[in-house]
Amino acid sequence: GVIRRRLGTDPKGFNPLTENSADVSELYSYCMAFMADRRRTDPNVWEYSLAHSVEISDDYKQYTFKIRPGVTWQLPAVDLNDPQYAWLKSADREVTARDFQFAYELLKIVIH
């Protein structure tokens, strides 16, 4: 589908790690799925998306999310016949903990 949204500002970019405007945050929320989120009306209750459970250590310093089976990456809008994108042809590439580890490490580099 198509979504049309009038932006209140002229963002410098659309990367939510480097551009923190409300417009970019809103656009990001339309196209990203999260492991889980706390319910607004009851923060003790988790609402799951990519995960099916969360385990929290007694000291609240470690959160372990269990990824739902069957969560896969969507195919990007590129020419999959181009040899440089051949590795993307697999439509059933499951999301793994390594994907989240990579994203976390990337975040540390961007923020640092």
Side-chain angles (χ1 to χ4, degrees):
V2 173
I3 184 168
R4 294 185 190 270
R5 169 81 169 74
R6 182 168 188 236
L7 301 179
T9 62
D10 187 15
K12 297 176 185 85
F14 292 103
N15 182 339
L17 300 176
T18 58
E19 173 64 34
N20 64 357
S21 72
D23 289 326
V24 171
S25 295
E26 182 181 346
L27 292 171
Y28 188 67
S29 73
Y30 293 143
C31 61
M32 289 301 298
F34 299 94
M35 292 292 258
D37 201 2
R38 292 182 186 262
R39 185 176 291 165
R40 290 178 190 248
T41 57
D42 184 356
N44 295 318
V45 176
W46 288 88
E47 298 201 353
Y48 299 104
S49 181
L50 299 178
H52 65 79
S53 67
V54 61
E55 297 169 10
I56 305 167
S57 65
D58 291 338
D59 61 2
Y60 295 96
K61 291 183 178 180
Q62 184 172 334
Y63 290 68
T64 304
F65 294 92
K66 305 287 182 165
I67 302 171
R68 270 187 309 111
V71 174
T72 59
W73 287 95
Q74 70 183 38
L75 288 174
V78 297
D79 180 4
L80 295 173
N81 294 317
D82 185 328
Q84 74 176 354
Y85 301 120
W87 65 279
L88 294 170
K89 285 186 178 181
S90 174
D92 61 349
R93 186 178 170 305
E94 285 204 27
V95 174
T96 68
R98 288 181 150 257
D99 296 317
F100 284 94
Q101 180 182 8
F102 172 80
Y104 178 74
E105 295 298 326
L106 186 61
L107 237 173
K108 288 191 329 187
I109 291 169
V110 170
I111 291 173
H112 200 239

